[in-house]
Amino acid sequence: LKVQSSSKAQGSVSGGVPMIFNGVGFGSDCSLLKITLGHTAECEITECSDTQISCITKTVSKNHVITNLGELRNYGIGYAWSYKSISISVGDTVTWKWDKASAVSQLLYNVYQLSSPTDKEYDGKGFNS
């Protein structure tokens, strides 16, 4: 199996971009082939031969789990998060998880989007939950 060339993937980040891969040894059973494009996209195969694969790109959703670890020495209960900052893509899900065994589960929380990872206050833009 060897990929010798491919069309450029230019288009929507939401997918739907047709691509063609040329090479040798692909085989003719499309169900045995899978194309991934990094961690956020796949290419759904529409046709294949031993020398060419045609496919349509689609995004791959990811679930990000953000866990409250309890207490942060400088700020107190409820300020220790893993991860402190994440990047998400269209279609991703973010799950906020609190440790129910600690006093942290007794607090009320406000989760909101910041303009940059260094910001600490909500500026009225983006989501606020």
Side-chain angles (χ1 to χ4, degrees):
L1 174 70
K2 182 177 181 180
V3 176
Q4 295 171 323
S5 66
S6 69
S7 59
K8 291 186 179 182
Q10 295 179 336
S12 172
V13 294
S14 298
V17 178
M19 291 190 70
I20 296 175
F21 293 87
N22 296 300
V24 293
F26 299 142
S28 58
D29 186 352
C30 298
S31 68
L32 297 176
L33 302 172
K34 181 176 181 178
I35 297 175
T36 57
L37 306 167
H39 298 289
T40 60
E42 292 179 348
C43 208
E44 199 167 272
I45 298 168
T46 54
E47 288 183 60
C48 69
S49 70
D50 196 50
T51 59
Q52 188 174 77
I53 300 171
S54 299
C55 59
I56 305 291
T57 62
K58 68 176 190 172
T59 58
V60 176
S61 298
K62 183 177 179 184
N63 182 35
H64 305 271
V65 178
I66 310 299
T67 305
N68 188 291
L69 302 173
E71 189 171 340
L72 189 61
R73 183 174 297 182
N74 295 341
Y75 298 102
I77 294 175
Y79 281 91
W81 294 92
S82 110
Y83 302 88
K84 293 179 183 181
S85 176
I86 62 166
S87 295
I88 60 173
S89 299
V90 173
D92 284 0
T93 302
V94 178
T95 302
W96 301 94
K97 182 179 171 187
W98 284 264
D99 178 8
K100 293 186 185 286
S102 72
V104 173
S105 65
Q106 305 301 316
L107 300 176
L108 298 176
Y109 293 93
N110 186 15
V111 177
Y112 50 83
Q113 180 176 346
L114 298 174
S115 296
S116 78
T118 57
D119 289 344
K120 293 188 179 19
E121 297 293 326
Y122 179 61
D123 63 5
K125 299 176 184 172
F127 71 85
N128 184 353
S129 174

